[in-house]
């Protein structure tokens, strides 16, 4: 049996007509560009803000720009330090650099794999201005502890929620804990557009207003530019597609959670580690990742059985060539390094079948039994 890592065709097939109609409407209206009054962009922004439970949503070109726009709106740039987890997708740190500030890595917690509050405290200096926790793989970071630290040190919090649409802490949606939160609608995320797209959500009207200007050349009104911004708008077609898909998001997240539950009943638990989920936290299962010191062997074994897998991420940020300039040693981030060496993501997507989950689980069981260590 062949098991893909994800198959978006299965997600689109049952709603193909609805998606095509939504796109055709934008084409008929020629509402392609996400200017201030694009009705498709406005409709999606309102619906997504509602979904998250935030007052404002500002669409933009992608989830990386969203972080940079959030930092710029908070006036965090040159001379500022921003604390980011040492194990995440490069965007989290890259956006800090692009905003003119310096990313400062803090190690992740060995159990949850998200930013460690204790490590944040060790990295705070007089130049620290913000913390960007990442809800890695869909598991909320420890927001109560992180927000408490931020408050004590007068720091801003931007939640990088690119992997966690649908995740909650005590039924409160992630994206509503920090000063603002960023989402990516890259096609493979829990909610994906038909290309690159992203947004920032916030309860602060001033931050919202500032981002709305920054994403569209600083335009406050048609005849003048009150400041310089950039072009990072959300396209009409993407917004229309996202509005259709948003109606199904909650169901898709539940299907992800059901798939994870089935894995938990079928896998040989105890032979590897999983992200541990704090009580009251709801994992949105963007990824289902196992941790084992036999990761590479397991990956080849799955390959040989036509089961796709992924590694998120092969190198921690301090190990990347791009960050050698910071002069930090990867050894100072042992949990991030171990995570990069031992973690493997196995197929989990809303449409994955019970048979596929059982086959993946049986194959993993066979692997651990066949060459018991
Ligand atoms: C996907 C992702 C982003 C950025 O997404 P793009 O839309 O591709 O720019 C940022 N942070 C994390 C953690 C991500 O996984």
């Amino acid at each position: 049996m062949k098991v893909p890592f994800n198959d978006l065709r299965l997600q689109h097939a049952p709603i193909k007509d609805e998606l095509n109609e939504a796109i055709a409407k934008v084409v008929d209206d020629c509402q392609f560009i996400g200017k201030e009054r694009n009705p498709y962009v406005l409709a999606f922004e309102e619906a997504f803000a509602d979904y998250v439970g935030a007052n404002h949503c500002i669409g933009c070109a992608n989830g990386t720009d969203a972080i940079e726009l959030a930092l710029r709106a908070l006036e965090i740039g040159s001379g500022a330090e921003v604390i980011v987890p040492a194990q995440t997708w490069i965007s989290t740190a890259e956006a800090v650099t692009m905003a003119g500030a310096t990313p400062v890595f803090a190690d992740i917690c060995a159990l949850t794999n998200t930013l460690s509050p204790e490590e944040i405290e060790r990295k705070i200096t007089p130049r620290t201005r913000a913390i960007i926790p990442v809800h890695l793989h869909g598991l909320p970071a420890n927001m109560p502890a992180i927000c408490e630290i931020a408050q004590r040190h007068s720091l801003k919090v931007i939640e990088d929620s690119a992997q966690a649409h649908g995740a909650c802490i005590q039924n409160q949606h992630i994206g509503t804990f920090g000063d603002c939160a960023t989402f990516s609608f890259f096609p493979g995320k829990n909610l994906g557009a038909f290309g690159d797209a992203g947004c920032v959500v916030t309860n602060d009207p001033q931050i919202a207003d500032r981002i709305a200007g920054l994403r569209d050349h600083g335009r406050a009104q048609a005849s003048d530019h009150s400041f310089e911004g950039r072009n990072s708008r959300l396209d009409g077609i993407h917004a229309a597609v996202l509005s259709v898909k948003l109606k199904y998001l909650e169901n898709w997240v539940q299907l992800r959670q059901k798939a994870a539950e089935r894995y938990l009943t079928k896998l040989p638990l105890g032979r590897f580690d999983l992200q541990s989920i704090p009580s009251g936290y709801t994992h949105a299962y963007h990824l289902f990742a196992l941790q084992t010191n036999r990761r590479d062997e397991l990956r080849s074994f799955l390959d040989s059985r036509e089961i796709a897998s992924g590694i998120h991420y092969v190198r921690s940020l301090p190990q990347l060539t791009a960050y050698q300039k910071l002069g930090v040693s990867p050894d100072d981030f042992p949990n991030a390094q171990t995570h990069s060496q031992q973690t493997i993501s196995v197929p989990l997507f809303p449409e994955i079948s019970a048979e596929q989950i059982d086959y993946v689980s049986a194959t993993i069981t066979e692997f651990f039994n066949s060459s018991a260590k």
Side-chain angles (χ1 to χ4, degrees):
M1 187 189 306
K2 226 183 173 124
V3 188
F5 195 68
N6 191 2
D7 188 349
L8 288 173
R9 282 168 300 196
L10 298 175
Q11 183 184 79
H12 299 151
I15 55 170
K16 210 165 178 174
D17 291 343
E18 215 182 333
L19 288 166
N20 284 336
E21 267 170 46
I23 293 170
K25 240 177 134 216
V26 178
V27 173
D28 285 346
D29 289 354
C30 292
Q31 291 284 351
F32 300 117
I33 298 298
K35 298 256 190 216
E36 223 162 334
R37 274 183 290 278
N38 181 309
Y40 300 95
V41 173
L42 285 173
F44 173 68
E45 288 174 337
E46 195 180 323
F48 194 71
D50 223 46
Y51 173 76
V52 174
N55 290 342
H56 307 275
C57 167
I58 310 95
C60 64
N62 57 68
T64 311
D65 279 6
I67 304 170
E68 185 185 334
L69 290 167
L71 286 162
R72 288 187 188 279
L74 293 166
E75 296 183 306
I76 294 170
S78 173
E81 292 177 356
V82 177
I83 295 174
V84 303
Q87 176 71 330
T88 172
W89 178 238
I90 188 172
S91 298
T92 319
E94 184 181 40
V96 173
T97 308
M98 290 300 131
T102 305
V104 172
F105 304 136
D107 205 2
I108 55 173
C109 160
L111 295 176
T112 60
N113 306 152
T114 60
L115 193 51
S116 154
E118 294 75 30
E119 293 301 311
I120 293 173
E121 298 236 41
R122 295 206 313 126
K123 296 299 171 126
I124 293 173
T125 75
R127 285 183 301 281
T128 309
R129 293 283 317 281
I131 307 167
I132 310 184
V134 175
H135 306 305
L136 194 72
H137 300 171
L139 178 67
N142 187 344
M143 294 314 298
I146 291 168
C147 291
E148 188 275 320
I149 293 169
Q151 202 154 32
R152 201 150 27 83
H153 295 271
S154 303
L155 308 176
K156 301 293 185 188
V157 176
I158 301 168
E159 296 174 60
D160 181 345
S161 310
Q163 302 182 1
H165 322 62
C168 298
I169 301 177
Q170 317 281 12
N171 295 320
Q172 182 181 340
H173 207 292
I174 53 91
T176 57
F177 291 86
D179 295 275
C180 51
T182 60
F183 286 85
S184 165
F185 303 119
F186 178 86
K189 302 281 163 133
N190 287 7
L191 176 63
F194 283 178
D196 279 307
C199 79
V200 183
V201 302
T202 181
N203 283 331
D204 185 328
Q206 270 173 318
I207 296 176
D209 196 52
R210 181 91 187 156
I211 291 172
L214 282 168
R215 72 167 169 188
D216 190 20
H217 306 292
R219 199 183 310 253
Q221 57 209 40
S223 60
D224 191 19
H225 300 260
S226 12
F227 52 91
E228 289 176 305
R230 48 180 300 188
N231 178 351
S232 181
R233 297 174 297 228
L234 172 62
D235 291 341
I237 285 181
H238 292 318
V241 165
L242 287 167
S243 286
V244 170
K245 285 191 167 195
L246 180 58
K247 294 187 280 178
Y248 303 97
L249 177 60
E250 206 47 41
N251 183 43
W252 288 335
V253 171
Q254 280 169 17
L255 290 171
R256 287 177 181 277
Q257 290 161 343
K258 276 207 182 116
E261 272 167 38
R262 190 171 184 97
Y263 267 128
L264 293 177
T265 64
K266 302 279 174 174
L267 283 168
L269 302 180
R271 308 298 289 270
F272 52 81
D273 289 320
L274 292 162
Q275 266 182 306
S276 72
I277 305 175
S279 129
Y281 282 46
T282 310
H283 200 311
Y285 287 107
H286 173 56
L287 295 174
F288 190 86
L290 320 183
Q291 196 169 331
T292 163
N293 56 14
R294 301 175 60 201
R295 191 265 311 273
D296 295 337
E297 261 178 277
L298 173 58
R299 187 152 206 230
S300 313
F301 192 71
L302 294 175
D303 253 5
S304 73
R305 300 298 172 88
E306 298 194 301
I307 296 170
S309 60
I311 296 179
H312 304 91
Y313 300 93
V314 181
R315 290 166 187 246
S316 63
L317 296 185
Q319 292 175 297
L320 293 177
T321 305
Y323 293 115
Q324 296 316 298
K325 63 180 179 185
L326 296 178
V328 297
S329 163
D331 298 338
D332 292 339
F333 308 89
N335 296 336
Q337 192 153 346
T338 303
H339 188 270
S340 71
Q341 290 162 348
Q342 301 192 343
T343 300
I344 177 169
S345 313
V346 299
L348 189 154
F349 48 97
E351 302 78 14
I352 192 170
S353 69
E355 292 70 30
Q356 287 176 317
I357 293 172
D358 294 356
Y359 173 63
V360 174
S361 302
T363 307
I364 293 172
T365 304
E366 184 189 338
F367 170 79
F368 282 107
N369 286 341
S370 66
S371 45
K373 216 172 128 174

